[in-house]
């Protein structure tokens, strides 16, 4: 497993609001048929103290967070699952419904794109579009 330094860009838009863009450095590597991008969240993302791992293959990806925020979200087309989202203020149970997901990643980095719905407490419905780019440094 060879780790590469990478520049990771994540752009998120919820319910067609303003784009939030985070550009950070991290690690990128391949292991057991998956590509991994690992980076530390910053104060700008509101998740300082959290390490985020993207586990990517051709069918979709998982977003795993550990630290001040802890969760695992699995994005596969037409997938629906319950997700526990733990924060310093308590936990939230979310329903995650993936509408569309595309990954185009190889040993040189690449792109991930997903559109998904989050339903909080069976009530509030939030649609999110997330785009990610990984560039080897």
């Amino acid at each position: 497993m060879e780790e590469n330094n990478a520049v990771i860009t994540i752009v998120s838009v919820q319910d067609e609001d303003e784009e939030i863009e985070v550009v950070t450095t991290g690690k990128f590597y391949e292991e057991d048929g998956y590509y991994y991008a690992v980076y530390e969240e910053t104060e700008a993302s509101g998740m300082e103290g959290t390490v985020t791992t993207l586990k990517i293959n051709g069918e979709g990806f998982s977003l795993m967070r550990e630290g001040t925020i802890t969760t695992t979200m699995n994005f596969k087309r037409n997938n629906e699952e319950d997700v526990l989202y733990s924060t310093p203020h308590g936990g939230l149970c979310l329903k995650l419904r993936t509408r569309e997901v595309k990954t185009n990643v190889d040993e040189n980095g690449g792109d991930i794109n997903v559109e998904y719905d989050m339903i909080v407490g069976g009530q509030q419905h939030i649609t999110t579009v997330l785009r990610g780019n990984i560039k080897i440094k």
Side-chain angles (χ1 to χ4, degrees), residues 26-136:
K27 299 289 182 191
F28 179 71
Y29 60 94
E30 181 181 9
E31 184 176 86
D32 297 329
Y34 290 90
Y35 292 99
Y36 292 84
V38 182
Y39 61 95
E40 292 185 24
E41 295 286 351
T42 64
E43 190 178 341
S45 71
M47 294 180 279
E48 191 174 22
T50 300
V51 174
T52 296
T53 301
L54 301 171
K55 181 181 177 183
I56 309 159
N57 68 12
E59 295 176 16
F61 67 96
S62 296
L63 183 151
M64 300 169 283
R65 291 194 166 118
E66 282 192 34
T68 53
I69 305 289
T70 303
T71 192
T72 299
M73 299 178 173
N74 298 302
F75 299 106
K76 292 182 183 147
R77 189 170 186 184
N78 297 322
N79 184 51
E80 187 173 303
E81 66 180 22
D82 292 324
V83 173
L84 183 60
Y85 198 90
S86 298
T87 75
H89 307 290
L92 284 172
C93 191
L94 310 171
K95 185 165 288 295
L96 182 70
R97 187 178 301 133
T98 305
R99 292 180 178 204
E100 197 67 46
V101 63
K102 292 179 185 162
T103 61
N104 183 16
V105 176
D106 61 22
E107 64 276 359
N108 300 308
D111 298 298
I112 58 170
N113 295 283
V114 64
E115 180 177 346
Y116 63 95
D117 296 323
M118 275 191 308
I119 298 109
V120 182
Q123 305 275 330
Q124 187 179 358
H125 176 269
I126 301 165
T127 299
T128 301
V129 174
L130 185 135
R131 297 185 309 272
N133 175 264
I134 303 151
K135 285 191 176 115
I136 301 296

Side-chain angles (χ1 to χ4, degrees), residues 6-10 22-27 37-39 54 133-134:
V7 175
I8 300 164
T9 304
I10 303 292
V22 175
V23 180
T24 189
T25 56
K27 299 289 182 191
V38 182
Y39 61 95
L54 301 171
N133 175 264
I134 303 151

